[in-house]
Amino acid sequence: MAYKNFTVETDNDGIALVTWDMPDKSMNVFTMEVMDEIEAICDATTADDKVKGVVFTSGKKTFSGGADLTMLKGMFAMMAEEKATDAGNATKKLFDAAGRMSWLWRKIETCGKPWVSAINGTCMGGALELSLACHGRVAADDKSVKMGLPEVKVGIFPGAGGTQRVPRLTNAQDALQMMTTGSSLSPQRAKAMGLIHEIAEPKKLVATAKKMIKDGLKPVQPWDEKGFKAPGGAVWSPQGAQLWPAASGILRRETNGNYPGALAILKCVFEGLQLPFDTALKVEQRYFTHVLQTPEAFGMIRSLFVSMQELNKGARRPADVKPTKFKKIGVVGAGFMGAGIAYVTAKAGIPVVLVDRDMEAAEKGKAHSADIVKKGVQKGKTTQEEGDALLSLITPSSDYADLDGADLVIEAVFEDRDIKKTVTEAVEDVLKPAAVFASNTSTLPITGLAKNSKRPKNFIGIHFFSPVDKMMLVEIILGKKTGDKALAMALDYVAAIKKTPIVVNDTRGFYVNRCVLGYMNEAYNMLIEGVPPAMIENAAKMAGMPVGPLSLNDEVALDLSQKILKAAIADLGEKAVDPRHMDLVNTMVDKHGRFGRKNGKGFYDYPAKPAKKHLWPELKTLFPQQKADDVDVEVLKQRFLIGIALEATRTMEEGIVTDPREADVGSILGFGFAPYTGGAISYIDAMGAAKFEELCKTLAKNYGKHFKPTRIVQELAKSGETFYQRFGQEEAVKQAA
Ligand code: NAD
């Protein structure tokens, strides 16, 4: 029989080699059609007496990335439709759909013939779960081979047997750690954990898999044998008594109870290990059905999976501009940011000229890359040859003439209008007419900077976040005159360095920094009210923020906050800044010399390692303190999330951000806005604008007019629409009411 996504070739030993190679796709993913074909292959090979066993592999460089997003979208759409027409049946239908993969893998596992998975490259999610259901697993010995169950990162969990098979192959502690963090494993680590049987040279992968069958691999999983015992011991055993109380404590510490997917993993493993395998799979299916219906799963899948992929693929790219293949990129300013930008550019294989005022500064910028490479080699993340090749792409220089021939030049010099003007003019003197000039400014509006340019159409903002090599977001800012070509080239560049872009219109602070400032300002308000500093930090983390606002302010630097506040007063007038905030920052910087992490003194003290940073004890003496018991932590959490979300709505109302997908993805990748919400706008949509408006009004009454609901929130509260509906993205992913 011919399949669309698979070839099946049976050799003289009766081993059927099933090769998964989807046409028109760069990566194999699970679709309904793929699952139907796998089932047909299972039926056919089981019925065919000539077939002794099956080797399952991929015809692509990677094995598989897991489920296709259209399948998940389809599940949400089905739920939405069913709930509207036949609510009683909706959950049952979802339950059946959610179990399709799980029971298909179980069918393979119990078909009576041995199956071996030959893992030749990245093997994620459902693909690893399929492999775990095979009786044998071999992985190619290659750095590109990674295995993992990353579902928790998009709000769900491994629901196709993952939570049952992993803890039956390895100890429950490692299983929980792997699944609740969604981390990926090298073949060596997977083998050490007992998740795979063999590691083979890439060329001998299929032969090794076939040999397992020829050597008499039993088509029965250990858990289907009589007397099976989980390797980590039973739940009710001395080992279990050590593990389980601590496991729930650790999960609570790491997630603050915000992630139903992560909690479900714990429940599935705990309950499943006490049950016969088929019942355990059913328990997993039930939890999976439940988690799929949570707003957390919906928001995270939409933003961190669907929208992120769409943005990465260039959702905002003008389609009629030819893609740029970069031959050379210039970076001017080899300081903190410029050095990082040079590194990520070279890492993408693009030659970079890194210019600073003198060779010493330029060389120092390149040394930053050498440092990252050295650490990478030490940790085994990269090889010396790869590192050397990367470094050879960076040419330090103090001569602007070396920028000749660059397609794109990114400026990261001091945040000073005059210096930026001089640099723009000097660079444009050597640039070819078609080249694009970008500024990495964090505060200066692009339209103003573009006035220094002879070709404002080719002038754009490309705003990175620090540390550049780690932060996945890049904010692209359109000046009034920025043209499509510059936008397309900026997006091509961001795609080349494998980061996620959002495109925003010009304003002071753009999108991300406006929201971040709101977050830090609310912490200033709390400090001034006398909320104990530790409560401020903890409440933010409980709300789901990865870094407390005071800690974040220390990273940004308090003297920089001081500069930003002063600049806002200078440019916009006294009213632009709360005078109490200015006083607080002046007191910290001018009176106490506390600049932040960079001088070891900020809202925190930074003692020498191994001691950990701790809140500056004197902070409590700056304002009369409230009693901790008198402070409502829930309200503190709301103030952080609502404050940021309101700022996000202001940027949408002003037309700075035009697409809720970008507001959401930008808020999570840019400053870690409580990821379980799906982002700042999804946070509002999930509760409904009416409820959000009501909360804003209460907060405005008690904590200041900055909480007053924006016009757009009021409008949506009245109309009952969501932001995604209003901005034409409601079809992206449908959610059941
Ligand atoms: P930095 O002080 O570390 O580096 C600036 C570099 O520019 C220095 O090496 C300096 O020698 C060089 N320079 C100054 N004048 C020059 C000239 N005429 N020609 C060539 N080189 C010159 O500053 P940074 O933190 O890297 O910030 C650079 C830019 O990036 C600023 O516009 C800043 O607002 C922006 N930015 C900073 C961050 C951050 O977190 N630090 C984040 C995003 C954007």
Side-chain angles (χ1 to χ4, degrees), residues 135 213 418 452 455 460 493 510 573 695 723 725:
H135 309 94
I213 296 173
D418 292 335
N452 305 321
R455 316 136 336 137
I460 197 164
Y493 169 66
F510 316 126
L695 289 172
F723 274 87
Q725 283 165 339

Side-chain angles (χ1 to χ4, degrees), residues 332-338 355-357 400 412-415 419-420 423 440-442 463-464 466:
V332 183
F336 183 59
M337 295 303 285
V355 177
D356 208 299
R357 288 175 293 183
Y400 282 65
V413 298
F414 298 139
E415 189 76 338
I419 297 178
K420 291 206 189 282
V423 168
N440 178 49
T441 175
S442 37
H463 182 212
F464 283 86
S466 81

